[in-house]
């Protein structure tokens, strides 16, 4: 029998459905950081993110047991879609205009820019400052724009995947990215911030 740590997420999900509870522990261990980072990035409140994270995993368990997961090789995208739906349900329940107060502890410190940039010693400090400025500007974007930027650049998802995950058309996803970039450029100019990495 295959070792749990050698199984794909899809194999672990099926093993869990077939009664192997340890398989779910491995799934959770593999995916919790990425999933929590995504939720925190969108809602910008650590306590709320924890609540929504827990709710998301309850829904994942429920859907797995209800047979609503089919192996497509995209378990990560499937759980992100569930998290997205949980967040949208929360926004609807709160009947807000989908704007969120800025949380003190959401400065994207859980996203390490060195994972995304090929840094060398000479440019390290300049790039750190640029990434810090980018994070501050991204925090000012509306949630839907912040979400698409996070998915595209920090999770390297295609616009097709983003559209499917957020239940919008590809054109809407592209439009949100376009507006996010325009807003970030406008804010950078207003505050005299240079958004160019060396």
């Amino acid at each position: 029998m295959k070792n749990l740590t050698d199984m794909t997420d899809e194999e672990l999900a099926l093993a869990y459905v077939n009664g192997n509870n340890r398989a779910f522990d491995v799934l959770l261990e593999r995916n919790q950081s990425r999933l929590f980072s995504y939720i925190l990035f969108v809602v910008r409140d650590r306590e709320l993110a924890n609540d929504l994270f827990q709710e998301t995993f309850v829904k994942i368990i429920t859907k797995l047991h209800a047979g609503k997961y089919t192996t497509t090789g995209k378990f990560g995208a499937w759980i992100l879609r569930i998290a997205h739906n949980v967040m949208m349900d929360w926004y609807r329940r709160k009947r807000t205009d989908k704007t969120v107060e800025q949380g003190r502890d959401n400065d994207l410190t859980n996203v390490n820019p060195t994972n995304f940039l090929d840094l060398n010693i000479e440019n390290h400090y300049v790039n750190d400052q640029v990434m810090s400025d980018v994070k501050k500007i991204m925090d000012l974007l509306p949630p839907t724009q912040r979400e698409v930027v996070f998915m595209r650049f920090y999770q390297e998802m295609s616009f097709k995947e983003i559209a499917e995950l957020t239940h919008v058309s590809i054109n809407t996803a592209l439009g949100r990215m376009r507006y996010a970039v325009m807003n970030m450029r406008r804010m950078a100019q207003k505050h005299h911030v240079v958004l160019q990495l060396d």
Side-chain angles (χ1 to χ4, degrees), residues 61-194:
I61 291 168
T62 304
K63 288 179 181 289
L64 284 171
H65 281 294
K68 293 188 177 176
Y69 175 71
T70 55
T71 55
T72 60
K74 295 184 179 181
F75 183 81
W78 184 71
I79 64 172
L80 286 176
R81 186 176 303 115
I82 293 171
H84 170 80
N85 291 339
V86 166
M87 288 185 288
M88 292 306 107
D89 289 346
W90 181 83
Y91 281 127
R92 284 185 202 105
R93 285 193 305 267
K94 287 298 184 183
R95 294 186 183 152
T96 66
D97 59 355
K98 294 191 180 182
T99 57
V100 182
E101 292 298 317
Q102 183 169 342
R104 287 192 315 257
D105 55 352
N106 181 25
D107 62 357
L108 289 181
T109 55
N110 53 343
V111 178
N112 184 352
T114 57
N115 291 340
F116 309 103
L117 302 172
D118 183 19
L119 300 176
N120 62 44
I121 298 298
E122 297 161 10
N123 297 326
H124 178 76
Y125 294 108
V126 172
N127 288 342
D128 277 354
Q129 182 59 51
V130 170
M131 286 305 295
S132 174
D133 292 340
V134 167
K135 290 173 187 178
K136 288 175 188 170
I137 289 173
M138 284 174 64
D139 272 347
L140 301 173
L141 291 172
T144 54
Q145 292 175 22
R146 228 178 21 251
E147 181 180 44
V148 75
V149 169
F150 183 79
M151 289 178 174
R152 182 73 179 129
F153 292 108
Y154 291 96
Q155 296 186 325
E156 299 178 351
M157 296 174 71
S158 70
F159 283 106
K160 182 180 180 191
E161 291 170 324
I162 293 168
E164 289 172 1
L165 185 70
T166 57
H167 305 292
V168 297
S169 69
I170 291 178
N171 285 341
T172 300
L174 288 166
R176 287 177 179 173
M177 177 60 76
R178 182 173 156 263
Y179 284 119
V181 170
M182 286 170 33
N183 284 334
M184 289 177 71
R185 282 185 183 151
R186 182 179 45 76
M187 288 185 274
Q189 287 175 346
K190 180 179 177 183
H191 299 288
H192 307 290
V193 174
V194 177

